[in-house]
Amino acid sequence: MLAFQAPAQVPVTGQPVPQLSQFDSAMIALMEQYQIPGAALAVARDGRLVLARGYGFADTATQQQAEPNTIFRVASLSKVVTAVTIMKLFQNGELNLDDRLIDYLPGMTPADSRFNNITIRHLLNHSGGWDNTNLPDPLFNPQLVANSLGIASPPGQDDILRFIVASPLQFEPGQRHSYTNHGFTLLGHVIESVTVQDYETYVRESILSPLGISCMRLGSTLPQNRARGESRYYDFPGAAPVQSVFGTQNVARPDGGFHLETFDSMGGWISTAPDLLRFLGGFDGHPIRPDILTPATIAVMNARPSYAPSANVYYALGVNVRPVNNGYIAFHAGSLPGTFSYLVRLANGTSYAVIFNMRPQNDDAFLTDLDRELFNATQAVTSWPEHDLFSENSCSTGSRRRPARR
C-alpha cells in the first residue's frame, strides 16, 4: 500500500466532496511517493462531473497551485482524439476503415511495397507494420530525420511523413499489434486529406466544440508559447538536460528535448481534466451528454481485432479495451517527459481523467500504482454525489490556428 499523507501536506484546490475524499488521499500519496509537483483529477459518474480537483503546484518557482482547470499536455491521449475523429468520418461515410492509406497520400511512393497494403484500420490498432523495438521513432529523433532528408532540424510534419514513407516496414500490415507513433502521425494526414482542413481546426470545430470543450488545443514546445493557464513541466529528479531540437544549448527535456508541434495527431494536444471527460462523454454511451459517435460506431471502435482472439486486454481502434461481465473497461494512457495522463471508463458508469506535470522515472511502475489506487478509490465509494460540476469547470485559452501540413 502507498504511504498515506495528510491532504494538508499538498495543496488541494477545487470543491471538496466528502464522499470522494479517498480520491484526494490516493492522489496525494502517489504524488508524495513519486515526487510529482502538480496534477489535476476529474471524476464522472453516469455522465455527471462529481469531482474536479487540483493538487500541488503548476509552477513550483512561483508557488502557483494546480487548479481543476489547469491545462496540461496529454501526450498519447491525443491518439484517442484522433481515433474518434476518424470514426466520426467513418460514421459520416466519408471514409472506410479498410481504405488503403496510400490513397490518401497523393504523390507518395513508398520504399517498401508492403506499405501499399496499410489500411486506416491498421493505423488505428497499431498493426501497420512498424515495430519500435527495431525502429527509431522519427518524432523523438528529429536530427536523424533532418540528416536523412538533408534539411535543418527540427523537421516539420511533411518531413516526418516523407521519412516514414521512405522507411521499411518490419512486418506485413494487419499481422499483429505493435504500438508505435507512426500510424497516428499518418492519420492526421488522412484527416486533412478527407476534410480539406488543417487537423486542429477540423477536430476543434467538428468534434470538440459540439461537446462544449473550449480548452483543448494543440500545444507548443517552448514555455513562452504555451497557453494561458497551462502548467509548467518537470523532468524527474536527477534527469540530465538534453540538447534542444532548436539549437546547441542544453535544456530540460520538456522544454525542447522534442518538438511538440510535430506530435499533433499522435501526442500534441493539451487539455484540462474536466474537458477530457467532456470528450469521453461524446462516445461513452451516456445520453446525458451529446453523442459524437453512435452506439453502432462505438461497437466497431471497441471490437476485438482479428489478431487478438483471446486476449484479456486488447488495443481496439484507438483505445485499450478489457471486456468484463457487464460491459467493458476502456482506457488509454499518455506519457512524455514532463507529463503523464490517464483516461478510464469503467463498466459501471464511472470514468476519470488525471494529468500530472511530471513523468516519473519508472513510469511503468507508476502506471500500475495509479491504476490500482484510482480503481480502489472508486470501489470504496458508498454513496455517489448527485451534483454535476461540469458547468463550474470550464475555461478559455483564446484561439490559435496552425497552417495545414500541405
Side-chain angles (χ1 to χ4, degrees):
M1 294 292 293
L2 295 171
F4 176 78
Q5 298 288 340
Q9 295 186 13
V10 171
V12 183
T13 60
Q15 178 178 322
V17 181
Q19 303 107 296
L20 305 180
S21 61
Q22 58 268 39
F23 285 100
D24 292 339
S25 298
M27 288 291 294
I28 291 164
L30 285 162
M31 293 173 68
E32 291 282 356
Q33 179 178 352
Y34 286 95
Q35 302 179 60
I36 300 174
L41 169 71
V43 181
R45 178 74 173 184
D46 296 331
R48 293 173 289 103
L49 183 66
V50 294
L51 184 70
R53 301 281 262 167
Y55 304 88
F57 298 96
D59 188 326
T60 58
T62 64
Q63 293 289 283
Q64 178 186 349
Q65 294 183 11
E67 301 282 345
N69 287 314
T70 295
I71 298 169
F72 299 83
R73 293 171 177 170
V74 302
S76 281
L77 290 191
S78 304
K79 292 179 172 67
V80 188
V81 177
T82 298
V84 168
T85 305
I86 289 287
M87 296 306 296
K88 179 66 171 179
L89 293 172
F90 161 72
Q91 181 175 280
N92 292 347
E94 297 180 69
L95 57 75
N96 290 312
L97 298 181
D98 295 316
D99 286 348
R100 298 192 315 159
L101 166 65
I102 194 65
D103 295 334
Y104 294 93
L105 304 177
M108 290 287 175
T109 303
D112 190 322
S113 62
R114 294 175 294 181
F115 192 100
N116 294 310
N117 300 327
I118 299 172
T119 67
I120 304 301
R121 188 186 305 273
H122 295 150
L123 300 180
L124 286 167
N125 63 25
H126 296 278
S127 66
W130 301 282
D131 190 333
N132 265 353
T133 60
N134 299 302
L135 180 72
D137 189 327
L139 279 305
F140 290 95
N141 293 273
Q143 194 61 56
L144 172 66
V145 176
N147 292 343
S148 173
L149 300 179
I151 60 174
S153 183
Q157 290 159 324
D158 279 344
D159 302 318
I160 299 292
L161 170 63
R162 287 195 292 144
F163 182 86
I164 292 174
V165 173
S167 301
L169 301 183
Q170 283 69 56
F171 59 90
E172 180 65 30
Q175 185 181 78
R176 60 184 174 88
H177 170 87
S178 180
Y179 187 95
T180 67
N181 292 317
H182 289 59
F184 279 80
T185 297
L186 293 167
L187 285 170
H189 291 273
V190 171
I191 290 168
E192 291 191 344
S193 177
V194 172
T195 66
V196 198
Q197 294 185 65
D198 73 87
Y199 167 79
E200 181 180 18
T201 297
Y202 181 79
V203 173
R204 292 184 69 179
E205 294 180 354
S206 300
I207 304 297
L208 304 181
S209 181
L211 295 172
I213 295 173
S214 59
C215 291
M216 291 180 68
R217 54 173 274 188
L218 292 180
S220 298
T221 302
L222 298 176
Q224 61 267 30
N225 296 331
R226 290 179 189 153
R228 182 172 67 251
E230 185 175 359
S231 176
R232 292 194 65 89
Y233 302 102
Y234 301 89
D235 216 340
F236 59 83
V242 298
Q243 183 176 319
S244 171
V245 297
F246 298 105
T248 58
Q249 72 273 25
N250 286 339
V251 296
R253 286 188 300 172
D255 295 333
F258 49 87
H259 190 208
L260 192 71
E261 283 77 358
T262 59
F263 284 24
D264 60 356
S265 52
M266 79 83 183
W269 286 92
I270 60 175
S271 180
T272 67
D275 266 0
L276 286 176
L277 291 186
R278 284 187 178 90
F279 168 68
L280 183 63
F283 63 101
D284 69 355
H286 285 297
I288 196 171
R289 299 291 162 198
D291 288 329
I292 291 297
L293 302 182
T294 66
T297 302
I298 295 169
V300 172
M301 186 176 182
N302 292 318
R304 183 185 296 274
S306 59
Y307 56 75
S310 60
N312 292 329
V313 178
Y314 56 83
Y315 198 101
L317 302 183
V319 66
N320 294 284
V321 174
R322 179 186 296 123
V324 294
N325 290 335
N326 56 339
Y328 63 89
I329 297 172
F331 60 97
H332 208 295
S335 172
L336 282 172
T339 194
F340 197 98
S341 59
Y342 197 36
L343 180 64
V344 178
R345 178 198 180 276
L346 302 178
N348 64 2
T350 304
S351 57
Y352 42 87
V354 59
I355 326 173
F356 301 87
N357 60 7
M358 190 191 85
R359 180 177 73 179
Q361 185 172 13
N362 189 342
D363 55 336
D364 288 338
F366 176 65
L367 177 57
T368 298
D369 289 342
L370 174 65
D371 183 61
R372 180 188 65 245
E373 295 303 315
L374 291 185
F375 180 77
N376 287 346
T378 67
Q379 298 301 101
V381 178
T382 58
S383 174
W384 287 95
E386 294 297 325
H387 59 235
D388 187 349
L389 304 177
F390 270 125
S391 63
E392 302 172 24
N393 287 273
S394 61
C395 68
S396 175
T397 65
S399 177
R400 178 180 57 88
R401 298 292 172 87
R402 295 177 182 229
R405 293 172 173 85
R406 288 178 287 281

